[in-house]
Amino acid sequence: MGFGALLGAPYWAGRVIDQVDVIYDDGGSIESSRQPVLRDCMVQVDVATQRMREAEGYASTDVAIIILAATLTGTLDTDAVVEVLEGPHAGRWMVSLIERDSAALGWAGRGRRG
């Protein structure tokens, strides 16, 4: 929260939920299913950028999801779900158009409730 105050933006506790592959046996039945991997992070939800609005598949309810890189172990891709644990935008968000910001302080992507 101190970093958010420094940047003038509210960051909320969150986590990235990485889905894991299901393993099937030779007959196509589920052999094992692991629990999703949860990684803590700090998240900001903001208005969608112009680039996000111009991209294919944009909906008027889409938002910008910003994750502070220093608070997330590992990388981020569009297979993950971001869950904001508190604040006005609490809930699960599917992400797309993920990229590092130019200063490499965080990950930014388009988010949609899901």
Side-chain angles (χ1 to χ4, degrees):
M1 294 303 283
F3 192 64
L6 177 68
L7 294 178
Y11 284 87
W12 301 96
R15 62 185 174 189
V16 172
I17 304 169
D18 294 305
Q19 303 302 319
V20 295
D21 293 331
V22 174
I23 299 171
Y24 297 94
D25 64 17
D26 293 336
S29 296
I30 294 176
E31 187 174 290
S32 84
S33 174
R34 298 183 302 178
Q35 294 296 318
V37 176
L38 307 176
R39 297 182 288 148
D40 293 334
C41 62
M42 297 298 289
V43 183
Q44 177 188 359
V45 178
D46 204 347
V47 297
T49 65
Q50 187 62 31
R51 181 173 177 271
M52 291 174 189
R53 289 185 199 104
E54 292 172 349
E56 184 178 339
Y58 171 76
S60 62
T61 55
D62 289 351
V63 297
I65 300 286
I66 303 158
I67 297 175
L68 292 175
T71 67
L72 179 67
T73 302
T75 62
L76 187 63
D77 63 31
T78 57
D79 291 332
V81 171
V82 174
E83 184 174 21
V84 180
L85 299 174
E86 56 189 19
H89 301 288
R92 290 188 176 192
W93 299 86
M94 297 178 301
V95 293
S96 61
L97 303 173
I98 294 295
E99 62 187 8
R100 291 295 295 260
D101 65 29
S102 58
L105 294 174
W107 298 90
R110 186 172 69 192
R112 181 173 293 171
R113 286 239 186 236

